[in-house]
Amino acid sequence: MTTEIYEQAMESIVKGDAALAEEMAQKGLGEGIEPIELINNGFIPGINKVGELFGMGTLFLPELIQAATAMQTATELINDAIPDNEAASGGRIIIGTVAGDVHDIGKTIVVSLFKANGFEVKDLGRDVSVEQFIEGADKFNADIIGTSALLTTTMPEQKKLEESLKKAGLKSRFKTMVGGAPVTRRWAKRIGADAFAENAGDGVRLARELLAG
Ligand code: B12
């Protein structure tokens, strides 16, 4: 039954069928599947498939937008089902998608999982400039600045953030964590970011490690 839900969830995204995506999200949650498992095993494989087809030129922008809308419908519903853990403060993280980039589905999942794990989170949204990240981190008194970049053309913003933090003498005050589909551990190392997270769960684990020193 669970496998069937995962398969249909994937299919709903590939087809760009928001109604089916909503139905599968509700069905999965109703059956007691862990929200993050439902996203990771059902919906993410679907949107990754769409990305692949778009990259190959088999699928075009209108279909990409339709698939993204279906993905947003499902993830919003599932994100709402991830309860915030307001009791403990695991630390403070400010997070956003970098300037020039509007991809925010992954970033929003990361925000939900951090909140569920007792972090205080400030979500700056998408298309966030380096200046906004630094100002926001200062005001929020963040421990960690997390950035998401989905385009190879916007990844340099993550490098710019490291350079600006160094220039302002703030590199030791804030830890930095980078993510997004084209981002790699190697990139993180090259630009001097403190951590790279492959997915939301990894992000929470690594943030705890960073804060433990
Ligand atoms: C959905 C989508 C869109 C949607 C975005 C809707 C939205 N609100 O987000 C729309 C239709 C708007 C879109 C637009 C475009 N897109 Co697009 N899009 C995608 C697609 C298919 C999926 C992205 C996604 O949501 N993935 C699912 C989430 C859950 O995964 P994720 O974002 O990677 O996040 C996870 C991890 O990476 C990690 N993570 C991410 N960020 C962070 C941050 C931190 C701090 C941490 C800890 C972890 C973490 O945790 C997340 C959860 O596990 C990708 C393909 C792909 N495989 O990535 C293309 C893709 C990224 N898009 C692409 C392109 C080209 C575009 C456009 C330029 C198309 C165009 N011609 O207009 C525009 C650019 C707009 C812009 N300026 O940003 C290319 C990029 C190619 C490149 N080399 O850079 C891709 C790779 C498709 C392809 N194969 O060609 N896109």
Side-chain angles (χ1 to χ4, degrees):
M1 198 60 195
T2 305
T3 324
E4 221 172 89
I5 291 175
Y6 289 160
E7 274 167 13
Q8 283 200 57
M10 177 173 169
E11 208 182 297
S12 71
I13 302 303
V14 176
K15 282 189 186 157
D17 185 339
L20 184 62
E22 185 175 346
E23 191 189 324
M24 285 307 120
Q26 256 152 4
K27 199 165 172 191
L29 293 171
E31 304 247 327
I33 301 175
E34 276 295 316
I36 195 71
E37 294 295 317
L38 188 54
I39 294 181
N40 284 346
N41 300 321
F43 294 101
I44 290 184
I47 198 76
N48 282 345
K49 178 86 194 161
V50 169
E52 239 173 72
L53 295 173
F54 179 74
M56 280 159 44
T58 314
L59 186 150
F60 300 96
L61 197 57
E63 289 136 312
L64 178 67
I65 293 170
Q66 219 177 328
T69 306
M71 184 72 182
Q72 268 169 323
T73 306
T75 48
E76 269 167 31
L77 225 152
I78 300 173
N79 281 332
D80 284 347
I82 302 179
D84 289 2
N85 176 352
E86 281 156 13
S89 177
R92 298 168 76 81
I93 179 164
I94 190 160
I95 191 166
T97 300
V98 299
D101 202 324
V102 304
H103 296 86
D104 64 356
I105 296 171
K107 182 268 305 160
T108 307
I109 296 171
V110 173
V111 166
S112 296
L113 210 66
F114 267 98
K115 283 185 179 165
N117 281 278
F119 282 80
E120 288 171 66
V121 187
K122 173 93 186 156
D123 183 358
L124 294 178
R126 56 195 190 179
D127 194 14
V128 180
S129 70
V130 164
E131 293 72 27
Q132 286 171 312
F133 274 116
I134 296 179
E135 254 181 59
D138 182 39
K139 266 200 202 132
F140 184 60
N141 197 18
D143 300 306
I144 301 173
I145 304 176
T147 55
S148 184
L150 266 289
L151 298 169
T152 45
T153 49
T154 57
M155 281 168 65
E157 286 291 310
Q158 295 178 324
K159 182 164 181 256
K160 197 173 144 198
L161 174 66
E162 297 298 330
E163 289 165 355
S164 299
L165 285 173
K166 265 189 218 131
K167 223 173 168 183
L170 291 169
K171 184 60 194 155
S172 58
R173 179 164 165 211
F174 307 116
K175 299 280 184 199
T176 53
M177 185 178 275
V178 291
V183 177
T184 59
R185 185 158 291 115
R186 198 157 155 230
W187 169 250
K189 208 171 161 200
R190 204 175 114 200
I191 64 172
D194 296 296
F196 155 71
E198 180 109 47
N199 55 47
D202 229 25
V204 169
R205 185 179 56 77
L206 289 165
R208 287 198 175 122
E209 276 180 28
L210 281 179
L211 297 181

